[in-house]
Amino acid sequence: MKPCSIPLVILIGCCPLFASFAGCSLYGDHPRHAEVELRPAPGVNARGTVTFVDNPDGVQVTYNLMGLPPDSDHGLHIHERGDCIAAGPAGLGPIFNPLPAPASAGRTAHAEGDLPNIHADSNGVAAGFFVVPDLSLDGVRSVVGRILVVHRDPDDPYTIVPNFSDGPRLACGVIVR
């Protein structure tokens, strides 16, 4: 009996279809990403973009901002909700903290939306990246749909619970896919 090659041809021709159902890809995985266009607060020139890329070790946050005061440091926060137009801290919801640390965590407590300070150079430009291991682009730790704010002042590293002592907003925007 002679072997038939037709099933092999059909299987090879349908491989991309079956691969997509199986969850594998012939072209490699594409990282999930989100971004925010930061617009200046009234009377301020700060603006820029921030991208969020989901990686196995957390979310890589890449920022490129301009119009900041020269040679300055700034707090960068993700807020649960908010209004970029409303004045003062009342216009913002709390800093994003999907899984609050238990009281026993003591001085190691940290809100996931309390991001590292950023530094503007002598031209008022801040560019760089960092990785936040406790954030995601989906699920309970997702930053999508939240508000990103650049504050006038840097975070105080000795303050555990973020408050609104970082000064007024310089720029703000909604994180979208």
Side-chain angles (χ1 to χ4, degrees):
M1 182 170 205
K2 195 172 181 181
C4 179
S5 62
I6 293 175
L8 181 59
V9 171
I10 292 173
L11 181 61
I12 291 172
C14 295
C15 183
L17 177 64
F18 290 120
S20 65
F21 286 129
C24 60
S25 172
L26 297 175
Y27 305 107
D29 291 333
H30 299 287
R32 293 177 305 209
H33 71 279
E35 63 185 16
V36 58
E37 181 179 345
L38 294 171
R39 298 191 183 267
V44 180
N45 293 323
R47 64 192 174 284
T49 57
V50 179
T51 59
F52 300 83
V53 178
D54 227 352
N55 290 320
D57 55 346
V59 172
Q60 178 174 317
V61 180
T62 304
Y63 57 94
N64 188 2
L65 308 172
M66 62 184 80
L68 297 167
D71 296 314
S72 59
D73 293 321
H74 303 277
L76 189 63
H77 294 147
I78 298 171
H79 289 264
E80 288 185 16
R81 62 191 173 284
D83 182 351
C84 288
I85 298 171
L92 295 173
I95 291 179
F96 181 54
N97 196 18
L99 302 173
S104 62
R107 300 224 22 107
T108 62
H110 177 77
E112 283 88 345
D114 186 12
L115 303 177
N117 289 330
I118 60 173
H119 178 76
D121 65 15
S122 60
N123 295 314
V125 173
F129 74 93
F130 49 85
V131 176
V132 183
D134 296 328
L135 294 179
S136 180
L137 297 183
D138 55 22
V140 70
R141 294 180 181 210
S142 176
V143 299
V144 177
R146 313 242 181 243
I147 305 294
L148 183 68
V149 177
V150 178
H151 290 279
R152 180 191 65 199
D153 302 322
D155 268 345
D156 178 352
Y158 301 104
T159 302
I160 298 303
V161 179
N163 54 27
F164 293 103
S165 64
D166 297 343
R169 283 168 257 194
L170 296 181
C172 183
V174 178
I175 302 168
V176 297
R177 283 210 194 257

